[in-house]
């Protein structure tokens, strides 16, 4: 079991380990189990992990109930949030009670948003069950639902009371979901440098054909905890994304988000889009921030080993370029990029000339 503290206000612990569900009652802070508990989960996760979690929580709390929703991003709506407010209302939930989000990032974001807003905030515990949610979504306090065409358009910052990341749950994930999370792990390795590159390279093995690899080696306590540690430190430095440190986490995401959006969120999963976005960031870093060719090649090898797509298919290149400039993080018409001066040495706020953007997207299509 590895504990990483997130020094926000208030701070909290992320506990990463095996059999965390079974040990929930002993590991969670007393405040999490002192009131009533409503567990929110989805139809894929609940049959597998609700029984052991429920049994453990009942050891500390006599009133544990649950809500099981269908799975998928379509659930992240205000309508679903309103339904959940209804459940909390019926169950007479108070601010001393706890919402437990058991599932991937969708459940974490939705249940987190509901917990943040119901009665101006009830207690929240995140129990992430996907690699992506363990290394990224469950830590940092961003909670949201989608609105019209805007992903995560309505939301807030709301730190949980605790995060319980049970590595054992990652075994039942479909391989494509592990690949999704793998792209984020590669992002952390590029940001952190040698200390993380070596273990991630060892866990992944050699390059694999795109889309074929199952990066199961990344479902590892040390690796997940290292990612959480990095995210925790950027979040602590910039809790509400105002100062800039948190922007580091956007490495590969400026072009990645644009690829997702240009494909109408159907052609590429988030992980595939981030994999391509990271390849683009390596290419741009060589031209804008002096990344050496050996470092770039090492980063490319890592992406290939994580099963990232080789090239951008099926998505209009012009639309990708347009989407970059529409990026919500754009300020005053300029899109600041996070690039690398070397592996482990990120630089934020880099201006990338429009011609170079067109060129890198063309390269992604042709390489
Ligand atoms: N809040 C943040 O900081 C943040 C960061 C990144 C992503 N996100 C959000 O996270 C969401 C994506 O999260 P995700 O990739 O976890 O997707 P997800 O929650 O949809 O989970 C992916 C699929 O795996 C299933 N699943 C989950 N755990 C499982 C397990 N252990 N075994 C078998 N199946 C399991 C789910 O039912 C679902 O079908 C997006 O909505 C995104 O916006 C939020
Ligand atoms: Zn991401």
């Amino acid at each position: 079991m590895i504990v990483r503290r997130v020094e926000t206000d208030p701070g909290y612990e992320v506990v990463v380990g095996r059999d965390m569900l079974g040990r929930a009652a002993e590991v969670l802070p007393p405040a999490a189990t002192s009131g009533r508990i409503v567990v929110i989960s989805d139809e894929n996760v609940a049959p597998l992990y609700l029984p052991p979690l429920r049994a453990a929580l009942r050891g500390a709390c006599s009133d544990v109930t649950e809500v099981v929703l269908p799975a998928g991003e379509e659930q992240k709506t205000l309508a679903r949030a309103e339904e959940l407010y209804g459940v909390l209302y019926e169950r007479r939930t108070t601010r001393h009670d706890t919402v437990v989000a058991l599932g991937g990032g969708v459940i974490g974001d939705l249940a987190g948003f509901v917990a943040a807003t119901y009665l101006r905030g009830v207690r929240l515990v995140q129990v992430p069950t996907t690699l992506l949610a363990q290394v990224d979504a469950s830590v940092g306090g961003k909670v949201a639902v989608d609105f019209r065409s805007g992903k995560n358009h309505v939301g807030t910052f709301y730190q949980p009371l605790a995060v319980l990341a049970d590595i054992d749950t990652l075994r039942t994930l479909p391989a494509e979901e592990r690949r999704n999370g793998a792209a984020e792990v590669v992002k952390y390795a590029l940001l952190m440098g040698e200390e993380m590159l070596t273990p991630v390279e060892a866990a992944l093995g050699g390059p694999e054909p795109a889309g074929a690899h199952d990066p199961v080696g990344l479902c590892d306590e040390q690796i997940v905890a290292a990612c959480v540690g990095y995210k925790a430190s950027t979040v602590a430095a910039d809790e509400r994304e105002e100062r800039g440190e948190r922007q580091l986490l956007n490495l590969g995401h400026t072009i990645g988000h644009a690829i997702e959006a240009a494909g109408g969120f159907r052609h590429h999963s988030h992980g595939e889009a981030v994999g391509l976005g990271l390849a683009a960031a390596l290419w741009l870093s060589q031209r804008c921030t002096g990344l050496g060719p050996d470092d770039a090649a090492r980063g490319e090898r890592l992406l290939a080993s994580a099963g990232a797509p080789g090239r951008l298919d099926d998505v209009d290149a012009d639309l990708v370029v347009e989407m970059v400039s529409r990026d919500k993080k754009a300020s005053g018409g300029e899109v600041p990029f996070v690039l690398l001066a070397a592996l482990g040495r990120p630089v934020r706020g880099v201006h990338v000339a429009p011609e170079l953007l067109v060129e890198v997207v063309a390269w992604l299509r042709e390489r």
Side-chain angles (χ1 to χ4, degrees), residues 132 136 184 187 253 270 274:
L132 179 123
D136 189 0
E184 305 292 345
K187 175 189 83 175
H253 278 63
H270 181 70
V274 168

Side-chain angles (χ1 to χ4, degrees), residues 316-336:
D316 183 54
D318 295 340
L319 198 53
V320 174
V321 174
E322 194 191 318
M323 287 295 175
V324 171
S325 37
R326 270 200 231 162
D327 192 296
K328 66 177 177 209
K329 278 143 197 137
S331 52
E334 276 201 15
V335 187

Side-chain angles (χ1 to χ4, degrees), residues 295-356:
D295 277 3
R298 189 175 178 191
E300 286 264 10
R301 268 199 308 280
L302 201 55
L303 284 169
S305 316
R311 74 155 72 115
L312 176 66
D313 283 323
D314 299 335
V315 174
D316 183 54
D318 295 340
L319 198 53
V320 174
V321 174
E322 194 191 318
M323 287 295 175
V324 171
S325 37
R326 270 200 231 162
D327 192 296
K328 66 177 177 209
K329 278 143 197 137
S331 52
E334 276 201 15
V335 187
F337 273 75
V338 179
L339 296 177
L340 299 167
L343 298 177
R345 279 185 50 212
V347 187
R348 54 192 163 81
V350 183
H351 173 67
V352 172
E355 313 80 71
L356 213 50

Side-chain angles (χ1 to χ4, degrees), residues 34-48:
S34 61
R36 285 179 291 193
I37 294 177
V38 179
V39 184
I40 300 177
S41 191
D42 78 27
E43 281 171 358
N44 296 333
V45 178
L48 297 167

Side-chain angles (χ1 to χ4, degrees), residues 269-284:
S269 69
H270 181 70
E272 288 169 348
V274 168
L276 290 162
L278 288 169
L282 291 169
W283 189 95
L284 288 170

